[in-house]
Each structure stands twice: as C-alpha cells, then as structure tokens.
Amino acid sequence: MAIKEAEMFYKQAMSFLEQGKLDKSIEFFDSALKIDKDYISAWNDKGVALMELGKYPEALQCFEEVIRLEPGDNMAWYNRGYVLLILEEYQEAVNTFDLFRGRYSKKDDFYKYALYLQAQGLYNLKEYDESLKLIKESLKMDKTFKEARDLMELVGKETSKKE
C-alpha cells in the first residue's frame, strides 16, 4: 500500500514539475521520499527540480543519493558532473564525466554534451591540450555544435597567449 501512495505523490510531483511549479513538485517528491526513502526516480527528479531552481548543492545531494542507491544510473552521473561544473568543482566534474563516458553509448547526444562539458572543466583547469582533444571529438559527432566551437575558440586564445 505504501508503495502505491509513494507512486501517487511521485506522479503528482512530476505533474507539477512539467507545469514549472518547481517548489510544489519538490514538496511532493519529499512526500514520496518520506514513504520510500529509496525511491530512485523521486531522488533524481527532485534533483532536476532543484537544479532548475539554482539550488545546486541540494541537487548534487539528490544525484549522489541516486548513485548510492543505483551506481549504474548513468543520467545521475551526468547530472552530478553538470552540477559539479556549475559549482566550479572542475576536477571532480572532469572525473565524473570521464566515468559517465566510459559507460555510456557514444551514439547519444548526452555523450556529445558530456565531451563538451568535460572539455569545459579541463579548460577551467587550464589543461588546454586535453580540452581541445575532447572538443574535437565532440565536433566529429556534430560539426554544427556551436558551444564546442565557441569553447575551441577560447582554448585557441589561451594557447596562443602561451606561445
């Protein structure tokens, strides 16, 4: 019975999330999690809602809870890396995207974005050569990837300063 009740709260939370009522969705995710503290989808989607609200440390905790419960959840690793990048935890973000890419299909757009985000982390760590390698790999997947092209330009400017 409790599982059905948790699902009911989760479905309501998702409805609020889809409507952009983020605070209300978080309340309902919390209600679902009070009933079932191991409800992976509720943890993950609560993290997404918190991310949209700009509450990055709390979002990170949610994604880490998903990973603790289900270490094979690739999207939780991706989201963790993204939040770490926003929080300027560059080395940890780079490591997380490395782990994600090692386990995720190269045919998906998330892989391309993971390359780009990892390259961004490396750029911030001033590891320009490594960053450039990943940018080029992402551009092989999508020649029109504007964000990657912009980052490549920044990397180029930094490397020409060194010469």
Side-chain angles (χ1 to χ4, degrees):
M1 185 65 192
I3 300 296
K4 287 279 184 215
E5 196 177 348
E7 276 180 30
M8 184 187 71
F9 282 120
Y10 173 76
K11 286 178 182 170
Q12 191 64 51
M14 288 304 292
S15 174
F16 284 121
L17 184 60
E18 288 163 11
Q19 295 170 44
K21 297 177 181 175
L22 302 172
D23 290 320
K24 199 79 177 148
S25 73
I26 290 168
E27 281 178 42
F28 279 83
F29 286 130
D30 285 340
S31 296
L33 290 165
K34 277 185 191 130
I35 297 165
D36 180 0
K37 68 182 183 345
D38 295 339
Y39 199 149
I40 294 170
S41 297
W43 279 114
N44 190 64
D45 292 321
K46 178 183 174 184
V48 169
L50 287 164
M51 231 174 27
E52 287 187 31
L53 285 170
K55 296 181 177 181
Y56 301 113
E58 295 97 319
L60 182 61
Q61 289 174 335
C62 291
F63 299 132
E64 288 181 343
E65 189 62 25
V66 173
I67 290 165
R68 186 187 69 75
L69 294 166
E70 181 52 61
D73 188 315
N74 287 328
M75 289 316 298
W77 285 103
Y78 179 91
N79 289 335
R80 179 181 190 269
Y82 183 72
V83 171
L84 286 165
L85 197 60
I86 291 168
L87 292 172
E88 298 180 4
E89 299 282 341
Y90 300 123
Q91 189 59 60
E92 192 59 30
V94 165
N95 296 347
T96 299
F97 283 119
D98 208 36
L99 202 86
F100 170 83
R101 289 189 317 105
R103 303 154 36 137
Y104 200 75
S105 168
K106 291 182 179 180
K107 295 180 177 106
D108 190 297
D109 267 358
F110 280 106
Y111 189 88
K112 172 185 80 175
Y113 282 107
L115 282 167
Y116 162 73
L117 293 169
Q118 188 175 9
Q120 201 173 37
L122 289 164
Y123 169 80
N124 285 298
L125 291 168
K126 297 181 178 7
E127 294 181 28
Y128 303 122
D129 292 342
E130 288 302 307
S131 179
L132 193 57
K133 281 182 200 169
L134 296 180
I135 295 167
K136 286 179 178 176
E137 195 177 331
S138 73
L139 287 169
K140 277 184 196 167
M141 295 176 76
D142 179 358
K143 290 173 180 37
T144 65
F145 191 0
K146 184 187 177 338
E147 295 92 336
R149 290 193 173 284
D150 292 346
L151 184 57
M152 188 160 75
E153 197 175 307
L154 288 175
V155 170
K157 286 177 184 172
E158 289 302 322
T159 52
S160 67
K161 284 181 192 176
K162 291 165 71 176
E163 294 168 359

